[in-house]
Amino acid sequence: MRQSSSPSEAGLFDAIGAHGAVRDEVSDSAWLAALLEVETALAYAHAAAGTIPSEHAEAIEAACDPARLDVAEIGRAAASAGNPVLPLLEALRAALPGDMAVSVHFGATTQDVLDTAGMLVAHRALAVVLGDLAEAREAAARLAREHADTPMAGRTLLQRAEPVTFGFVADVWRECLREAADRLAHVRDERLALQFGGAVGTQPAVPGLAARLGLAEPAM
């Protein structure tokens, strides 16, 4: 019978699947920070549009301090709610006077906030991945320069073929890494867009919200 691991026990593939700094960017704390950032940006966007008072936005920003919230408690409450946004909203509203609490999450759905936070998490994780790719690309370029005249056997279907240089092989690696980085940068900058469409996807986004979060504007 398979033994279940405790919550504090590291998973067998954890270090492989989220190696290095990426692990921090996709952690529970990173997700909580992203959710709070969305709620704060939403409040300020509404304040700029005149739909909520500016002092409400300032109070919401103060309430959205991650240090004031218990990640584990929100996680436990999320089990019955189906997502962490609902218990998070309860905690934020409980921290504010009634007249200000009504401005929290104004005009948004749970899915708007959860999906937009996901875009922020992905955006930041990709920044780390792109940094790793840049280092790997430079390492491959260095090998290409140092071994421009180092001969080695070429291969075709794992069989020996005409000779090549190791520098040539390393330069192929460099070019593949460049292409991968270019595509990921395009995804990060152009495809990770604000997710704000209301209950059925037809609601227009709050003006300025995407810019406040550093995300692309939605296509629709």
Side-chain angles (χ1 to χ4, degrees):
M1 179 180 294
R2 183 180 183 274
Q3 297 290 325
S4 60
S5 59
S6 65
S8 61
E9 184 180 350
L12 187 62
F13 296 99
D14 284 358
I16 299 171
H19 180 69
V22 171
R23 188 184 187 89
D24 294 333
E25 297 297 343
V26 299
S27 67
D28 288 347
S29 295
W31 267 96
L32 177 61
L35 290 167
L36 293 171
E37 187 172 343
V38 174
E39 292 292 351
T40 298
L42 178 64
Y44 274 108
H46 274 301
T51 46
I52 69 170
S54 59
E55 57 268 25
H56 287 203
E58 293 169 1
I60 290 169
E61 180 182 25
C64 285
D65 180 359
R68 299 177 60 177
L69 297 162
D70 187 335
V71 175
E73 179 60 32
I74 292 173
R76 285 190 290 270
S80 59
N83 68 75
V85 178
L86 292 178
L88 176 61
L89 293 176
E90 290 181 3
L92 293 179
R93 287 169 177 150
L96 294 166
D99 62 327
M100 291 185 174
V102 297
S103 293
V104 175
H105 198 66
F106 189 80
T109 68
T110 299
Q111 202 70 46
D112 290 333
V113 173
L114 185 62
D115 288 354
T116 297
M119 295 298 101
L120 287 178
V121 169
H123 196 284
R124 290 159 185 170
L126 279 179
V128 176
V129 173
L130 287 168
D132 290 343
L133 282 173
E135 291 183 11
R137 191 166 66 249
E138 178 52 40
R142 184 170 61 252
L143 288 173
R145 292 190 300 269
E146 293 173 355
H147 295 278
D149 299 318
T150 302
M152 64 175 287
R155 297 283 180 174
T156 177
L157 293 177
L158 305 181
Q159 303 301 311
R160 284 180 176 269
E162 295 181 358
V164 297
T165 66
F166 179 52
F168 168 77
V169 173
D171 203 43
V172 172
W173 296 343
R174 179 203 57 77
E175 178 61 14
C176 290
L177 290 166
R178 183 197 63 77
E179 289 184 1
D182 287 349
R183 291 178 181 181
L184 282 177
H186 174 74
V187 169
R188 182 194 61 179
D189 299 335
E190 305 294 336
R191 303 300 298 166
L192 295 183
L194 175 72
Q195 303 295 302
F196 198 96
V200 295
T202 58
Q203 179 175 310
V206 181
L209 181 56
R212 288 178 182 275
L213 292 168
L215 296 174
E217 290 285 353
M220 298 298 289

